[in-house]
Amino acid sequence: MAGRMEIEGGAVDQLAGERSRAQFDVDAMKIVWAGSQHAFDVSDRISRLVASDPVFRKDDRTSLGRKDLFQNTLKKMTHALKRIVELRLTEEEGTKLRFFVDQPSYMDLHWGMFIPAIKGQGTEEQQEKWLPLAHKMQIIGCYAQTELGHGSNVQGLETTATFDPKMDEFIIHSPTLTSSKWWPGGLGKVSTHAVVYARLITGGQEHGIHGFIVQIRSLDDHSPLPGVTIGDIGTKFGSGAYNSMDNGVLRFSHVRIPRKQMLMRVCQVTREGNVLQSDVPKQLIYGTMVYVRQTIVSDASAALSKAVCIAVRYSAVRRQFGSQGGGPETQVIDYKTQQSRLFPLLASAYAFRFVGQWLKWLYTDVTQRLEAKDFSTLPEVHACTAGLKSLTTSVTADAIEECRKLCGGHGYLCSSGLPELFAVYVPACTYEGDNIVLLLQVARFLVKTVSQLGSGKQPVGTTAYMGRAEHLLQCTSSASSVEDWLKPSIILEAFEARAFRLAVACAQSISKFESPEAGFAEVSADLLEAAIAHCQLIVVSKFIEKLQEDIPGQGVKEQLRVLCYVYALHLLHKHLGDFLSTGCITPEQAALANEQLRSLYAQVRPNAVTLVDAFNYTDHFLGSALGRYDGNAYPALYAEAWKDPLNDSVVTDGYRDYIRPILKQTIFLSRL
Amino acid sequence: MAGRMEIEGGAVDQLAGERSRAQFDVDAMKIVWAGSQHAFDVSDRISRLVASDPVFRKDDRTSLGRKDLFQNTLKKMTHALKRIVELRLTEEEGTKLRFFVDQPSYMDLHWGMFIPAIKGQGTEEQQEKWLPLAHKMQIIGCYAQTELGHGSNVQGLETTATFDPKMDEFIIHSPTLTSSKWWPGGLGKVSTHAVVYARLITGGQEHGIHGFIVQIRSLDDHSPLPGVTIGDIGTKFGSGAYNSMDNGVLRFSHVRIPRKQMLMRVCQVTREGNVLQSDVPKQLIYGTMVYVRQTIVSDASAALSKAVCIAVRYSAVRRQFGSQGGGPETQVIDYKTQQSRLFPLLASAYAFRFVGQWLKWLYTDVTQRLEAKDFSTLPEVHACTAGLKSLTTSVTADAIEECRKLCGGHGYLCSSGLPELFAVYVPACTYEGDNIVLLLQVARFLVKTVSQLGSGKQPVGTTAYMGRAEHLLQCTSSASSVEDWLKPSIILEAFEARAFRLAVACAQSISKFESPEAGFAEVSADLLEAAIAHCQLIVVSKFIEKLQEDIPGQGVKEQLRVLCYVYALHLLHKHLGDFLSTGCITPEQAALANEQLRSLYAQVRPNAVTLVDAFNYTDHFLGSALGRYDGNAYPALYAEAWKDPLNDSVVTDGYRDYIRPILKQTIFLSRL
Ligand SMILES: Cc1cc2nc3c(=O)[nH]c(=O)nc-3n(C[C@H](O)[C@H](O)[C@H](O)COP(=O)(O)OP(=O)(O)OC[C@H]3O[C@@H](n4cnc5c(N)ncnc54)[C@H](O)[C@@H]3O)c2cc1C
Ligand SMILES: Cc1cc2nc3c(=O)[nH]c(=O)nc-3n(C[C@H](O)[C@H](O)[C@H](O)COP(=O)(O)OP(=O)(O)OC[C@H]3O[C@@H](n4cnc5c(N)ncnc54)[C@H](O)[C@@H]3O)c2cc1C
Ligand SMILES: [Ca+2]
């Protein structure tokens, strides 16, 4: 053991033994994880390209001050762009490249929010004018919605856009301190343009919130335009993390823009200042929303799988206690407590991956329906995507921190990769909809669905199960053995009954209050739980559906089946109060499920390291001394330490001024 | 509303309305929180002293690079020492001063670990030699136990201390890479000495792990002594946080120290190299352990109360949605979901404070017993303090992050204070015993206690309730109304029955395996839950005991009673699966408890802001734009933003090199 570790920086694969124990074809699993052979090929090629490019090194990120980190980001982005052009990468490849460069920057907002906003909300004419400029990056844009005083409540935004019919212009203005735009990424130091959301006023009348394309910096010398005040809003969580991003503050003092720069696809202001709704249905914006949320769920599985990959590999490397007669100590991954904390997260990474893949399908489906002007599934799709965004991001944030703790003290070092992964990930719980606000929207939809059941309206999509109301209210689980908990029908029924009964119980509680609104507000803490139960059911059922597909590769489907049951049964254990209080299962059945769960952990154990190998992450992308593919965690940690700027000198800079005067007692002379 | 916010930097108390609604005497509550009038006076005076000293400003911490932050720390510590001497502060006052300076540094380890190690493990002679040097800081020490390869398993440490009888010296050596000392705070760049834990070898025989005082740096020029390699282990979680600390790596190449530098209070090595146990009982070290854990619990309530203070105040300032007819929007603290997330944390802060105060008493009790050679309560005290360390630190870590989320997007800014509070706090879950390893120790003690119940041995202290085994196994809760859940006896019985039944169920499961050890390992995930249930019971019962004291001040006890029930009933809801599966309560009783909980939240609401005022934190100590006493969160956030180094220039530094070439398309020329 100690001997093996002597090989400093050695190339011996410390995890070879683990890999030889795997009971499935890891290459086949890689394709399943990637989604397709093509997706695998692209990711594999581009991730190696990034990893081998010295400009993209990440290991120095956390010791840089804010300014140096920001310079480093600008440099990387320019280099990324150069490489994309030089290598003539496709859009898919270019997006992947930025994904693997793995450093938040203005680029994310330019491509991910500014351009989609123009595509989604601009007229054809506007798209023709602005999109080519944006695609070539002759302008760089950001998405300026949130203000100091308003985020979740978009309708409360205070920035005004007042139409001046004389000049055929809008006057964009920040009337209060709280109306300052606050948070937009890329705004603080880079963007030349912004889509600004503001309160439309024409003829003295308010007409709600709309988007406007506003130039904010000169294209000549990059200085802010007259009437525009811009800055960065300061450091954020973590050392590197989102500090590479220039989230900004923006104030307008009566800034004029041409009328044509209001995004007018859905609503127009005429030359005379009249407000017209176009015949383009408002619902079209839902397409973009489904798309964005699908990428967030996919990012959740990426972040979670990174954390799990690090924690699984290090748990197989780390040995502590249990040495008998001088033999090697126990690998910490063999402790059942370690397994019960770690394996559900591994299963969740796969579960979120598959529900993310299903959301891609849902997006295609919704797009086709929207084109055919079929809006019937929209409310359900809205609730479903809101709920999945909330569920997967909340779980992932907590899971990254749990993975860090699973690595003991060393997880607290930035060289483990985990602190920065957490810091950069957690805002996903807040942006694109605060997770609690989103769950309340899901709950509202569920309560509505329950209330309409009597009226003969059939619930669709992910709420279809509610159509079996009678059965779900009275069924009792038939699980009577440990093996029964491996039956998809038994698992599904328990999750459906729990979700439905919680929703019905909420609806009943609400009806006891003077008004539905008052009731909804009063029981909203319970509503969150009902919404979560519904969302977990979706993930469980999509995982089960995945298992019904034809999945090639020796042993692959068997592994996925084990992970699926781990996912479901750990939830059953975690939320046991729900299942028992609604009478969906009995305490005896719960004990059987728990026993099955223990047995499933034992089945995951020999495959754990290979199951994270299937993510196919490069050591560069993982950025973790603990998570290295070859398991040489100790030499890597040791080598990383010496790179810290504090180690530039042997005797520390402050010695003469601050340490020597204490040791030599000269600072105390004043007392004598 | 918007108008109020216009007062940039104004001194208007935005929270005056909240404060006027409070139903209790905040000054009396401040004394309860502080523990005594004296403790309040000292904290109040010293915290203001620190807050008014410009050297101690904290607002620039997160934008500094590693080197600058470290310099800043050295400067603050030297200044702190100067002030302590100049003002002739007592030891209590000096400790408080460092607490309010609120920046981890070598001082913490010198005073908190190095000196106590010599006191606890050194002979009288050794104490006489080393303690005066350490107290005057003519030497600066650290505590070097953990190695790259071993933390939790201290018996596995690899550093050797081999006795050389010829020279009457020990040879300290690091035989492997993994034997490198790794983590000790203050080691990397400051300490001149270390207490090094190493494997004692004399006459070719191993004699376990012992502590040795080793000089590591020259007292003349601070360079590492021959044979000593030292460095910093690199950046850690967060931007400021523990990066102000020089956690270090240390390797020895056959370094010689006099025999007299082995800490020999309990075990001696003679001139001849013989190993003798002294007549000082080994158990004495438990006293120090109880002391250290008591401070950790006290730190937990400090960190949790800081986070809760910020989140409560900002939740009262923040308004979002719900404006009717142009009136002000709803304060987010009025949303029941916000309350159900936040108020249990407020209650936990008080609960941990009181259990921490009780631990101080326990420490005195244990010390007296040790002096009288009464070791009978030690195992129970050990389990109790291990469990409370684990419970309070885990809950606090999660709670800080929840408080951050409760602040929406703005909580992600360092100027909210919350990211750094989290980053600096979380290692408490790992150091001084990994929380899971500690819970397993608690579980082991519980299982043992259960197994001895038949033998007539009476369980003591916090396990005394297990003496009522028969009753606890068969009782059913008599709660039959919402009001019944305000009866301490009903709450206590439910928590006792739950804890006991879980422990008994584990003991029964274990007995089904071939050996107790195998059984313990197999069901260890369930054991964690039993241990947690036991620890929660301790906190609940100590809170209830507190309410039986005479507490002066109008309305104070009433508020504490409400918080106590919130604490207990939110746990009952959170762990409902435990209570139901063990048959301690019925689903109907759970529903009544939940209804009571809702009503309790409504009672907390008008007092929430004043309940956090009672912590008496200065704005300096809180370090949060969101948590300011006067509620002027928006002007403060706005002002903080402009201090970021990125705002030093209007046109950003990288513009010419990285942004202009994109906008002007010159980087693409190579393609043409
Ligand atoms: C890293 C990061 C990047 C961002 N990038 C951008 C960007 O590029 N462009 C942009 O425009 N914005 C951006 N944002 C802003 C982001 O969209 C908002 O922070 C987000 O919408 C949350 O809104 P909020 O901050 O107002 O939270 P708030 O709504 O103030 O939330 C505060 C608390 O109130 C609760 N709450 C609020 N309303 C209700 C309710 N009705 N019922 C119950 N509880 C409620 C919430 O649950 C939360 O606990 C970014 C934010 C971050 C952190
Ligand atoms: C900020 C910070 C400051 C520190 N300061 C000092 C210092 O000044 N001096 C010093 O000597 N040390 C210091 N340490 C080190 C600290 O004491 C150790 O990190 C701590 O003891 C945990 O041990 P570990 O890192 O070996 O964790 P490990 O034991 O390696 O834990 C890894 C995982 O294994 C699990 N595990 C381990 N054993 C078991 C078991 N028997 N059963 C089940 N699960 C198990 C754990 O739960 C965890 O999930 C510091 C650490 C930190 C983070
Ligand atoms: Ca930094």
Side-chain angles (χ1 to χ4, degrees), chain A residues 150 153 220 329 412 423 660, chain B residues 62 150 153 220 329 412 423 660:
Chain A
H150 288 91
N153 181 16
D220 286 332
E329 292 169 276
Y412 189 63
R660 192 178 165 86
Chain B
T62 58
H150 289 91
N153 181 16
D220 285 332
E329 292 170 274
Y412 190 63
R660 191 179 165 87

Side-chain angles (χ1 to χ4, degrees), chain A residues 2 6 8 62 66-67 70-71 75 78 85 106 136-138 148-153 158 175-178 182-183 189 219-220 222 224 230-239 242 251 318 320-321 329 336-337 340-341 401 404-405 408-410 412-414 419 422-423 426-427 429-430 436 521-522 524-526 529 573 577 580-581 594 598 634 637-638 641-642 644-650 652-655 658 660 662-665 668 671, chain B residues 2 5-6 8 62 66-67 70-71 75 78 85 106 136-138 148-153 158 175-178 182-183 189 219-220 222 224 230-239 242 251 318 320-321 329 336-337 340-341 401 404-405 408-410 412-414 419 422-423 426-427 429-430 436 521-522 524-526 529 573 577 581 594 598 634 637-638 641-642 644-650 652-655 658 660 662-665 668 671:
Chain A
E6 279 293 351
E8 292 192 22
T62 57
R66 182 83 207 279
K67 269 185 165 174
F70 187 65
Q71 287 298 305
K75 183 176 170 184
T78 308
V85 172
Y106 68 91
K136 288 193 213 140
M137 300 196 77
Q138 292 176 298
L148 197 45
H150 288 91
S152 299
N153 181 16
E158 297 176 81
T176 59
L177 177 71
T178 46
W182 189 269
W183 272 116
K189 292 284 136 184
L219 288 171
D220 286 332
H222 215 239
I230 331 181
D232 182 275
I233 59 171
T235 50
K236 287 146 289 189
F237 210 154
S239 182
Y242 253 92
R251 300 196 64 167
R318 183 70 168 173
Q320 207 75 189
F321 295 105
E329 292 169 276
K336 300 290 171 179
T337 49
S340 72
R341 295 156 71 201
E401 172 61 5
R404 197 191 60 70
K405 292 206 182 88
H410 302 343
Y412 189 63
L413 282 169
C414 287
F422 183 79
V426 287
C429 298
T430 307
I436 301 300
E522 274 306 311
S524 56
D526 296 335
E529 293 173 4
H573 183 70
L580 292 178
S581 67
N594 213 24
R598 276 212 296 270
Y634 296 121
L637 273 175
Y638 194 79
W642 296 102
D644 194 275
L646 280 193
N647 291 323
D648 289 351
S649 55
V650 174
T652 195
D653 284 355
Y655 168 64
Y658 305 121
R660 192 178 165 86
I662 296 176
L663 291 171
K664 297 295 176 197
Q665 312 276 293
F668 306 124
R671 190 197 186 181
Chain B
M5 290 309 152
E6 279 292 354
E8 292 192 22
T62 58
R66 183 80 207 280
K67 271 186 165 174
F70 187 65
Q71 288 297 304
K75 183 176 169 184
T78 308
V85 171
Y106 67 91
K136 288 193 213 140
M137 300 195 78
Q138 290 176 298
L148 198 43
H150 289 91
S152 299
N153 181 16
E158 297 176 81
T176 60
L177 177 70
T178 46
W182 189 268
W183 271 118
K189 292 284 138 184
L219 289 171
D220 285 332
H222 215 239
I230 331 181
D232 182 276
I233 60 170
T235 51
K236 287 146 289 190
F237 209 154
S239 184
Y242 253 92
R251 299 196 65 167
R318 184 70 169 174
Q320 207 76 191
F321 295 107
E329 292 170 274
K336 301 289 171 179
T337 49
S340 72
R341 295 158 70 203
E401 172 61 6
R404 196 191 62 69
K405 293 205 181 88
H410 302 343
Y412 190 63
L413 282 168
C414 286
F422 183 79
V426 286
C429 298
T430 306
I436 301 301
E522 272 309 310
S524 57
D526 295 336
E529 293 173 3
H573 182 71
S581 67
N594 213 24
R598 276 212 297 269
Y634 296 121
L637 273 174
Y638 194 80
W642 295 101
D644 193 275
L646 280 192
N647 291 324
D648 289 351
S649 56
V650 174
T652 193
D653 284 354
Y655 169 64
Y658 305 121
R660 191 179 165 87
I662 297 176
L663 291 171
K664 296 295 176 197
Q665 312 275 295
F668 306 124
R671 188 197 188 180

Side-chain angles (χ1 to χ4, degrees), chain B residues 166-450:
Chain B
K166 262 185 260 149
M167 308 292 291
D168 197 20
E169 287 174 342
F170 288 108
I171 304 163
I172 311 289
H173 187 60
S174 311
T176 60
L177 177 70
T178 46
S179 73
S180 310
K181 292 294 169 188
W182 189 268
W183 271 118
L187 166 66
K189 292 284 138 184
V190 178
S191 298
T192 61
H193 289 67
V195 170
V196 172
Y197 289 84
R199 191 170 287 283
L200 170 63
I201 303 174
T202 115
Q205 287 235 313
E206 295 217 358
H207 295 274
I209 303 297
H210 298 270
F212 300 82
I213 300 179
V214 186
Q215 183 175 349
I216 53 178
R217 284 191 175 91
S218 156
L219 289 171
D220 285 332
D221 63 6
H222 215 239
S223 57
L225 294 189
V228 171
T229 307
I230 331 181
D232 182 276
I233 60 170
T235 51
K236 287 146 289 190
F237 209 154
S239 184
Y242 253 92
N243 291 302
S244 56
M245 179 76 87
D246 53 329
N247 295 94
V249 46
L250 169 63
R251 299 196 65 167
F252 295 105
S253 175
H254 306 284
V255 169
R256 290 179 165 267
I257 58 166
R259 178 173 55 89
K260 301 231 156 137
Q261 285 177 216
M262 171 172 154
L263 292 171
M264 299 216 204
R265 185 171 181 197
V266 172
C267 170
Q268 283 131 34
V269 172
T270 64
R271 178 64 192 87
E272 296 72 35
N274 297 322
V275 177
L276 303 178
Q277 300 302 318
S278 79
D279 55 357
V280 176
K282 265 195 170 175
Q283 287 91 335
L284 278 186
I285 54 159
Y286 283 98
T288 322
M289 209 187 54
V290 175
Y291 179 77
V292 171
R293 288 184 181 160
Q294 168 258 308
T295 56
I296 293 185
V297 172
S298 154
D299 288 347
S301 76
L304 177 51
S305 56
K306 263 173 117 167
V308 165
C309 181
I310 296 168
V312 164
R313 287 184 182 157
Y314 180 62
S315 293
V317 168
R318 184 70 169 174
R319 294 170 180 270
Q320 207 76 191
F321 295 107
S323 144
Q324 269 136 0
E329 292 170 274
T330 306
Q331 291 166 286
V332 298
I333 198 173
D334 282 326
Y335 291 115
K336 301 289 171 179
T337 49
Q338 193 85 354
Q339 296 179 4
S340 72
R341 295 158 70 203
L342 183 53
F343 292 168
L345 307 182
L346 173 60
S348 302
Y350 275 92
F352 295 174
R353 188 75 182 177
F354 297 141
V355 84
Q357 290 174 357
W358 172 75
L359 279 176
K360 275 197 190 125
W361 168 85
L362 187 70
Y363 172 63
T364 326
D365 185 62
V366 165
T367 312
Q368 284 168 359
R369 284 174 194 265
L370 286 176
E371 276 163 13
K373 299 224 157 55
D374 165 10
F375 305 133
S376 63
T377 62
L378 274 185
E380 184 267 325
V381 166
H382 179 265
C384 162
T385 55
L388 289 176
K389 184 275 179 185
S390 176
L391 181 76
T392 57
T393 55
S394 288
V395 169
T396 297
D398 292 350
I400 296 170
E401 172 61 6
E402 184 68 6
C403 285
R404 196 191 62 69
K405 293 205 181 88
L406 282 159
C407 294
H410 302 343
Y412 190 63
L413 282 168
C414 286
S415 55
S416 78
L418 292 164
E420 287 300 300
L421 186 57
F422 183 79
V424 83
Y425 188 74
V426 286
C429 298
T430 306
Y431 58 55
E432 288 300 321
D434 171 271
N435 279 354
I436 301 301
V437 174
L438 289 179
L439 283 181
L440 288 173
Q441 293 174 6
V442 176
R444 201 171 283 278
F445 175 71
L446 293 178
V447 170
K448 194 171 164 195
T449 306
V450 167

Side-chain angles (χ1 to χ4, degrees), chain A residues 160-164 167-172 200-202 212 254-262 264 269:
Chain A
T160 51
T162 311
F163 185 61
D164 173 2
M167 307 292 292
D168 196 21
E169 287 174 341
F170 288 108
I171 304 164
I172 311 289
L200 170 62
I201 304 174
T202 116
F212 300 81
H254 307 284
V255 170
R256 291 178 164 269
I257 58 166
R259 179 173 56 89
K260 300 231 156 136
Q261 287 177 212
M262 170 172 155
M264 300 215 205
V269 172

